[in-house]
Amino acid sequence: MNWEPIILTAKLASVVSVILVIIGVPIAYWISFSKWRWKFLIEAVVALPLVLPPTVLGFYILVAISPNNLIGRLWVELFGATLPFSFSGLVIASVFYSLPFAVQPFASSFETVDRRLIEAAWTLGSSKVKTFFTIIIPLSVSGIITGIVLSFAHTLGEFGVVLMVGGNIPGVTRTVSIDIYDNVQALKYSEAASTAFFLLIVSFLILSIVYAVNRKVWSVWPQRF
Amino acid sequence: MAPEVLIDIEKRFEDGRPPLNPLLMKEGKGVVVNLKLPIDSSWTVLFGPSGVGKTTVLRCIAGLDIPQRGVIKFNDTTWLDTDKNYSLPAQNRRLGYLFQEHALFPHLTVQENIIYNLSGFSKTEKTGKLKDMLNLFKIAEIKDRRPVKLSGGEKQRVALARTLIREPRMLLLDEPFSSLDIPTKERLRREIRAMLKDFKIPVILVTHDRIEAITLGDRMAVMSNGAIQQVGSVHEVFSRPVNPDVAKVVGMENVMPGKIVGNKDGLLIVRVKERELTAVDPGGLKEDVVVCIRAEEIILEKGSPLQSSARNRIPAKVTGISHEGVMVRVFLDCGFPLIALITRLSCNELSLSEGAEVLVSIKAPSIHIMS
């Protein structure tokens, strides 16, 4: 088995998960507690990658980060490198692609925190930021773990967006799913099979963690009375 | 000028988030409140039927809701002035708010709940204050438990301790006893004033329970139709409601002070003015009590007294009659003033008129005795 794409993919998924916690938590907080009447528009934008074909998403991201456009040009000026077909470009694309998988579990767990507990903390003099870290986060742990794990798993298995934005450069943008596709194209079935099986097992383990963490909430077994 | 809290607010519900209680939507447009309360250690009862907006008033005072129009001033400090677009955040109002279901943080132990966000004290001061609270509210043995493992009464004490440890300037209690079982409710009701007396802060209690209002309140503000209808001493509000709305809300016309003078066969003898009444003993009463009798539970008789099972039969004189639909409110003097509510038919049959002599008949269980 070729370990290079596996290590690359694991690195990509880890970086993306960390970024998604940093940007996903504030977005989810805003979605849960904002009273802005047009909020649903932002919710729709966040959920868009769930329904958009990866090639469409990948196409727009590729155009956006190309050096001919603002974001791409800015990046070149700041870091002296272009984004398309690079690891950084892949990270940006994957963050967008996996955004709903982080934000939605975060937001729904924030929403289930009893408002009265939040208000009680306020009347006890706790600032909104302190209330968030001492009350909301501890009571949303399972949702936060779910969001992290799902976005990690989703990034592991992405194909279309990676192909559009990253291409197929070994050691730079060649992820597991592209490696499998490549092997099949080259009729190297046994190599494809071992990598595919590895990905299957990893995905299964990750989802098992999610369901184990959330057993109380989303019991998959019939209730026993 | 004596220090006082000024609350003059108007909160409408037609826009924005629907109110927590859907009954409010049915009832009407919102609440209008104008109230001045002294800052001493007195208890004000905000009394009214469910869904009238009592909790909304409390939430506005606490800064959890912002009314469309209004001013709230605590002594010299302005908490809210909508004209100047100013609202002091709930965090900085420094008042205690006891939520209906106590709102203890489920992921923290009792002790962690109590010292949550307690700042401005050294570590030893903090430990000392915590110890005082644990002793005062008799919760030292349960300090390491989580809220899930507490009984309703214990939760109540923990919530009180958590609020009072930061020495709030005022305490707001939102139906604090409603989620408790009856024996716990009665015990806590008897104890709560004693537990709070050292804090010397004004308390606003929201309730729809008459007994809570009578036993805990110094002053009563009656709410109905989204507004405060009457503010006065508890005795005054119950005995002299300013309008039919208040009379309907308080529901108990006859409230008077009495003294327990005897006890036989499980029945209490209570003296009201120079009359003695027999009532069922609810237990745990001191000598000075409040006697309550619902007007509709008073029976009027005329002519030669026959034998009757009613324990209390008192001769009285009719001092006034007021017709209210099919019912008639009869004002009586039987050594103390009494109001009876009877049907118009009975009134006609007895041919009652001012000055008529009648016999008032009240069953012992119809006389409610409270301390």
Side-chain angles (χ1 to χ4, degrees), chain B residues 156-171:
Chain B
Q156 173 92 285
R157 290 153 180 277
V158 175
L160 270 170
R162 181 177 71 174
T163 299
L164 291 168
I165 195 168
R166 48 212 91 210
E167 291 162 10
R169 294 187 274 200
M170 182 157 73
L171 184 62

Side-chain angles (χ1 to χ4, degrees), chain A residues 35 116-117 119-128 130-131 134-135 138-139, chain B residues 17 59 64 90-91 95 97 99 101 103-107 116-117 162-163 166:
Chain A
K35 287 177 193 143
R116 269 175 305 198
L117 297 180
E119 289 176 344
W122 292 350
T123 62
L124 298 172
S126 178
S127 68
K128 290 200 173 180
K130 182 161 187 195
T131 304
T134 54
I135 305 297
L139 293 175
Chain B
R17 216 156 40 97
R59 291 176 58 84
L64 296 172
Q91 284 89 340
L95 39 73
Y97 194 115
F99 289 79
E101 313 283 335
L104 296 178
F105 305 128
H107 59 299
Y116 176 80
N117 197 48
R162 181 177 71 174
T163 299
R166 48 212 91 210

Side-chain angles (χ1 to χ4, degrees), chain B residues 165-300:
Chain B
I165 195 168
R166 48 212 91 210
E167 291 162 10
R169 294 187 274 200
M170 182 157 73
L171 184 62
L172 309 177
L173 306 174
D174 188 1
E175 308 243 1
F177 307 110
S178 62
S179 61
L180 304 175
D181 56 89
I182 292 166
T184 314
K185 189 192 265 192
E186 286 179 351
R187 188 164 43 81
L188 265 169
R189 202 178 61 221
R190 280 202 293 271
E191 294 171 358
I192 194 167
R193 276 202 77 142
M195 291 192 286
L196 288 180
K197 76 170 192 298
D198 289 337
F199 291 92
K200 297 195 171 56
I201 47 170
V203 178
I204 301 182
L205 167 75
V206 156
T207 185
H208 61 261
D209 185 320
R210 289 187 189 89
I211 299 177
E212 275 175 31
I214 293 167
T215 50
L216 290 172
D218 295 310
R219 172 182 323 100
M220 219 168 133
V222 181
M223 273 188 88
S224 139
N225 294 326
I228 292 201
Q229 308 279 350
Q230 183 174 5
V231 184
S233 77
V234 172
H235 187 266
E236 187 185 314
V237 171
F238 272 101
S239 53
R240 287 190 297 279
V242 287
N243 60 35
D245 255 358
V246 176
K248 208 172 104 195
V249 171
V250 299
M252 199 148 6
E253 284 88 344
N254 302 301
V255 178
M256 49 229 153
K259 232 182 185 67
I260 296 178
V261 292
N263 188 333
K264 68 164 194 243
D265 302 333
L267 296 175
L268 282 180
I269 312 296
V270 184
R271 190 196 296 278
V272 179
K273 296 272 171 66
E274 67 267 30
R275 295 282 175 197
E276 280 182 1
L277 299 173
T278 307
V280 176
D281 189 356
L285 293 173
K286 299 216 178 68
E287 197 190 351
D288 287 309
V289 292
V290 177
V291 179
C292 306
I293 310 162
R294 295 186 69 106
E296 58 267 38
E297 285 173 2
I298 295 173
I299 297 164
L300 300 184

Side-chain angles (χ1 to χ4, degrees), chain A residues 40-63:
Chain A
F40 65 92
L41 292 176
I42 304 295
E43 289 181 274
V45 169
V46 170
L48 215 47
L50 288 175
V51 291
L52 217 52
T55 44
V56 173
L57 187 71
F59 171 74
Y60 282 116
I61 291 170
L62 185 63
V63 170

